[in-house]
Amino acid sequence: MSKNTIFLRTPYNYDRDAATNESGLHCEDASLAQQHFKEECDINTILQKFNITGLLPEQPISPRYGDFTGIGDYHTAMNRVLAVQDEFEALPAQIRARFENDPAQLIEFLDNSDNRPEAEQLGLVEKAAAEAVEAAKITPEKAAE
């Protein structure tokens, strides 16, 4: 009759810790974690740097405005479109939300030269490039005045 009875687990006849230790995974191999990146990955360190500089550490924002007339064949063009889409998706969520998650709106925004100060503030355009454009607008005739 004991073969047909059902075993009911209760806190009095079942030890969860013993069952976990018996069925658990014991990792005894050497760890592959690289401990020298510990400080870079610590959220407290990242936030401390953000509070000081106002920028997240080493976060390149790669989508840029440019002349893309020499795209080439269809396959190359599609690869570039996918790369740009990936770069747009790599932007911080706040910047993507500013353009309603639409890369076309970002391109229209960057196409308008009146938006350059805001684009510099968002980190989409480098300030040095803006100063070079302003320097190029000054002609020798204007400089003589």
PDB file of all heavy atoms in Angstrom, residues 13 23 37 46 49 66 80 82 119 121 137 141:
ATOM      1  N   ASN A  13       8.539  17.443   6.160  1.00  0.00           N
ATOM      2  CA  ASN A  13       9.151  16.227   5.621  1.00  0.00           C
ATOM      3  C   ASN A  13      10.020  16.492   4.381  1.00  0.00           C
ATOM      4  O   ASN A  13      10.444  15.565   3.728  1.00  0.00           O
ATOM      5  CB  ASN A  13       8.083  15.187   5.290  1.00  0.00           C
ATOM      6  CG  ASN A  13       7.188  15.628   4.155  1.00  0.00           C
ATOM      7  OD1 ASN A  13       7.317  16.724   3.634  1.00  0.00           O
ATOM      8  ND2 ASN A  13       6.271  14.755   3.773  1.00  0.00           N
ATOM      9  N   SER A  23      20.615  19.220  -6.449  1.00  0.00           N
ATOM     10  CA  SER A  23      20.301  19.418  -7.866  1.00  0.00           C
ATOM     11  C   SER A  23      20.940  20.665  -8.455  1.00  0.00           C
ATOM     12  O   SER A  23      20.806  20.923  -9.648  1.00  0.00           O
ATOM     13  CB  SER A  23      18.785  19.506  -8.055  1.00  0.00           C
ATOM     14  OG  SER A  23      18.285  20.640  -7.376  1.00  0.00           O
ATOM     15  N   PHE A  37      37.933  45.395 -15.433  1.00  0.00           N
ATOM     16  CA  PHE A  37      36.871  46.257 -15.923  1.00  0.00           C
ATOM     17  C   PHE A  37      35.842  46.563 -14.823  1.00  0.00           C
ATOM     18  O   PHE A  37      34.806  47.151 -15.097  1.00  0.00           O
ATOM     19  CB  PHE A  37      36.149  45.604 -17.107  1.00  0.00           C
ATOM     20  CG  PHE A  37      36.983  45.533 -18.346  1.00  0.00           C
ATOM     21  CD1 PHE A  37      37.323  44.314 -18.882  1.00  0.00           C
ATOM     22  CD2 PHE A  37      37.431  46.675 -18.969  1.00  0.00           C
ATOM     23  CE1 PHE A  37      38.086  44.217 -20.027  1.00  0.00           C
ATOM     24  CE2 PHE A  37      38.199  46.605 -20.114  1.00  0.00           C
ATOM     25  CZ  PHE A  37      38.521  45.377 -20.650  1.00  0.00           C
ATOM     26  N   ILE A  46      29.891  55.173 -12.861  1.00  0.00           N
ATOM     27  CA  ILE A  46      29.321  55.769 -14.073  1.00  0.00           C
ATOM     28  C   ILE A  46      28.485  56.991 -13.713  1.00  0.00           C
ATOM     29  O   ILE A  46      28.598  58.051 -14.346  1.00  0.00           O
ATOM     30  CB  ILE A  46      28.492  54.721 -14.844  1.00  0.00           C
ATOM     31  CG1 ILE A  46      29.402  53.618 -15.376  1.00  0.00           C
ATOM     32  CG2 ILE A  46      27.715  55.375 -15.977  1.00  0.00           C
ATOM     33  CD1 ILE A  46      28.671  52.428 -15.939  1.00  0.00           C
ATOM     34  N   LYS A  49      30.670  59.991 -12.627  1.00  0.00           N
ATOM     35  CA  LYS A  49      31.247  60.687 -13.778  1.00  0.00           C
ATOM     36  C   LYS A  49      30.180  61.502 -14.505  1.00  0.00           C
ATOM     37  O   LYS A  49      30.438  62.600 -14.979  1.00  0.00           O
ATOM     38  CB  LYS A  49      31.884  59.684 -14.743  1.00  0.00           C
ATOM     39  CG  LYS A  49      33.158  59.085 -14.228  1.00  0.00           C
ATOM     40  CD  LYS A  49      33.728  58.085 -15.219  1.00  0.00           C
ATOM     41  CE  LYS A  49      34.968  57.403 -14.683  1.00  0.00           C
ATOM     42  NZ  LYS A  49      35.485  56.392 -15.623  1.00  0.00           N
ATOM     43  N   GLY A  66      25.502  64.011 -43.973  1.00  0.00           N
ATOM     44  CA  GLY A  66      26.537  64.082 -44.988  1.00  0.00           C
ATOM     45  C   GLY A  66      25.982  63.920 -46.392  1.00  0.00           C
ATOM     46  O   GLY A  66      24.783  63.702 -46.586  1.00  0.00           O
ATOM     47  N   ARG A  80      23.910  50.066 -46.329  1.00  0.00           N
ATOM     48  CA  ARG A  80      24.097  51.362 -45.686  1.00  0.00           C
ATOM     49  C   ARG A  80      22.845  51.806 -44.949  1.00  0.00           C
ATOM     50  O   ARG A  80      22.927  52.376 -43.859  1.00  0.00           O
ATOM     51  CB  ARG A  80      24.514  52.406 -46.712  1.00  0.00           C
ATOM     52  CG  ARG A  80      25.931  52.194 -47.198  1.00  0.00           C
ATOM     53  CD  ARG A  80      26.402  53.280 -48.104  1.00  0.00           C
ATOM     54  NE  ARG A  80      27.748  52.987 -48.581  1.00  0.00           N
ATOM     55  CZ  ARG A  80      28.359  53.671 -49.505  1.00  0.00           C
ATOM     56  NH1 ARG A  80      27.764  54.691 -50.084  1.00  0.00           N
ATOM     57  NH2 ARG A  80      29.576  53.341 -49.880  1.00  0.00           N
ATOM     58  N   LEU A  82      20.615  49.849 -43.576  1.00  0.00           N
ATOM     59  CA  LEU A  82      20.555  49.045 -42.359  1.00  0.00           C
ATOM     60  C   LEU A  82      21.568  49.526 -41.325  1.00  0.00           C
ATOM     61  O   LEU A  82      21.275  49.550 -40.122  1.00  0.00           O
ATOM     62  CB  LEU A  82      20.782  47.569 -42.683  1.00  0.00           C
ATOM     63  CG  LEU A  82      19.653  46.892 -43.455  1.00  0.00           C
ATOM     64  CD1 LEU A  82      20.057  45.481 -43.862  1.00  0.00           C
ATOM     65  CD2 LEU A  82      18.388  46.860 -42.632  1.00  0.00           C
ATOM     66  N   ALA A 119      21.586  70.817 -32.406  1.00  0.00           N
ATOM     67  CA  ALA A 119      22.266  69.584 -32.799  1.00  0.00           C
ATOM     68  C   ALA A 119      23.598  69.455 -32.053  1.00  0.00           C
ATOM     69  O   ALA A 119      23.975  68.353 -31.650  1.00  0.00           O
ATOM     70  CB  ALA A 119      22.488  69.561 -34.305  1.00  0.00           C
ATOM     71  N   GLN A 121      24.183  70.746 -29.096  1.00  0.00           N
ATOM     72  CA  GLN A 121      23.822  70.471 -27.708  1.00  0.00           C
ATOM     73  C   GLN A 121      23.463  68.999 -27.522  1.00  0.00           C
ATOM     74  O   GLN A 121      23.806  68.392 -26.513  1.00  0.00           O
ATOM     75  CB  GLN A 121      22.654  71.349 -27.292  1.00  0.00           C
ATOM     76  CG  GLN A 121      22.253  71.184 -25.852  1.00  0.00           C
ATOM     77  CD  GLN A 121      21.077  72.062 -25.489  1.00  0.00           C
ATOM     78  OE1 GLN A 121      20.481  72.698 -26.340  1.00  0.00           O
ATOM     79  NE2 GLN A 121      20.739  72.081 -24.222  1.00  0.00           N
ATOM     80  N   LYS A 137      33.211  80.583 -43.953  1.00  0.00           N
ATOM     81  CA  LYS A 137      32.307  81.604 -44.484  1.00  0.00           C
ATOM     82  C   LYS A 137      32.971  82.973 -44.541  1.00  0.00           C
ATOM     83  O   LYS A 137      32.563  83.824 -45.303  1.00  0.00           O
ATOM     84  CB  LYS A 137      31.041  81.685 -43.624  1.00  0.00           C
ATOM     85  CG  LYS A 137      30.135  80.487 -43.782  1.00  0.00           C
ATOM     86  CD  LYS A 137      28.894  80.656 -42.945  1.00  0.00           C
ATOM     87  CE  LYS A 137      27.978  79.460 -43.087  1.00  0.00           C
ATOM     88  NZ  LYS A 137      26.790  79.581 -42.231  1.00  0.00           N
ATOM     89  N   GLU A 141      37.892  89.179 -48.238  1.00  0.00           N
ATOM     90  CA  GLU A 141      37.352  90.536 -48.345  1.00  0.00           C
ATOM     91  C   GLU A 141      36.702  90.942 -47.022  1.00  0.00           C
ATOM     92  O   GLU A 141      36.858  92.075 -46.561  1.00  0.00           O
ATOM     93  CB  GLU A 141      36.316  90.644 -49.463  1.00  0.00           C
ATOM     94  CG  GLU A 141      36.850  90.390 -50.871  1.00  0.00           C
ATOM     95  CD  GLU A 141      36.962  88.912 -51.195  1.00  0.00           C
ATOM     96  OE1 GLU A 141      36.226  88.119 -50.599  1.00  0.00           O
ATOM     97  OE2 GLU A 141      37.794  88.565 -52.037  1.00  0.00           O
TER      98      GLU A 141
END
